[in-house]
Amino acid sequence: MRILLGAVALVSLAAAPALAQTQSQTVTDATGDFLSGYTGPKLADLDVTSFSVSYDSAAKLFTLGTTFAGAITPGTPGFYVYGVNTGKGAIRPFGSIGQGNVIFDQAIVVQKDGTGSIGGTALDSNWVAIAGNILTVKVPLSLLPSTGFAPGKYGFNLWPRTGFSSSAQISDFAPENATLAAAVPEPASWAMLMLGAGAAGGMLRYRRRRQATPALA
């Protein structure tokens, strides 16, 4: 019994951190770090302070979470572009401003009023939520078909901007000069979890059998 309990404990300790660390990825971004070449208004809702990406493989759904230095205010300048590298990463437009590693082949555009689109496809209004300084965007995998990467390896970057005509209208990048992937649980992590569940089930069955066995005279 002690050996079985020990195995369950070890498996749980090994598996739980791995799962927690790989379901989503988050980067933080300094407050007030507007790009040096940015010429637009330095609004708090154009200053990214954190960006996270997660992928639910069962629902086939990405969740993009962003916080800003201040509450998102509709009617003020600016909107948000999420670049996504689904495999081919064909577009690399920001080398001249020191962001050459921001590569993408799809772009999600979200307005401050909560509307959004991918290419010519509008996002469902239920997929975009704004609460103060927090923007949450849910995107089905069907709108981001792979061009080579597994969904959990897609690369994401976010840049607020005030217009599409020049790089001087981009206020910030998150992450800086990189992309962020939403790693999903690795097969080894799932195996550890299944082993832990099996061991726990075995322990419960063993205890029930002992309780059901009549004591010998």
Side-chain angles (χ1 to χ4, degrees):
M1 174 66 83
R2 291 193 185 95
I3 294 174
L4 185 57
L5 285 171
V8 173
L10 285 173
V11 167
S12 299
L13 287 172
L19 180 60
Q21 291 170 6
T22 57
Q23 281 184 313
S24 65
Q25 301 289 338
T26 302
V27 293
T28 57
D29 196 63
T31 302
D33 66 332
F34 292 98
L35 297 182
S36 60
Y38 173 59
T39 59
K42 294 185 177 180
L43 304 177
D45 63 0
L46 298 179
D47 182 8
V48 182
T49 55
S50 72
F51 176 44
S52 66
V53 181
S54 64
Y55 178 64
D56 183 334
S57 58
K60 296 186 183 328
L61 187 71
F62 292 97
T63 300
L64 314 178
T66 311
T67 62
F68 299 91
I72 297 169
T73 307
T76 59
F79 53 92
Y80 310 106
V81 180
Y82 296 87
V84 189
N85 180 8
T86 65
K88 62 183 180 182
I91 307 173
R92 301 168 176 257
F94 305 125
S96 62
I97 56 173
Q99 303 287 332
N101 291 323
V102 177
I103 59 177
F104 58 100
D105 48 54
Q106 296 278 353
I108 305 163
V109 179
V110 178
Q111 304 293 334
K112 290 183 179 181
D113 63 2
T115 59
S117 62
I118 302 178
T121 303
L123 296 179
D124 189 300
S125 60
N126 294 319
W127 298 343
V128 181
I130 296 174
N133 70 326
I134 301 171
L135 171 61
T136 304
V137 182
K138 295 184 180 296
V139 185
L141 177 61
S142 60
L143 295 183
L144 292 171
S146 174
T147 60
F149 285 169
K153 302 301 182 184
Y154 284 13
F156 291 80
N157 192 290
L158 163 66
W159 55 94
R161 60 187 308 159
T162 57
F164 282 116
S165 62
S166 76
S167 295
Q169 294 172 310
I170 300 174
S171 63
D172 200 3
F173 282 93
E176 295 287 341
N177 197 27
T179 58
L180 181 66
V184 294
E186 299 292 339
S189 299
W190 285 117
M192 294 289 277
L193 285 174
M194 293 303 99
L195 178 60
M203 179 185 70
L204 290 173
R205 288 192 295 273
Y206 175 79
R207 290 180 64 183
R208 288 171 183 154
R209 283 199 301 270
R210 285 195 63 187
Q211 291 170 356
T213 302
L216 296 177

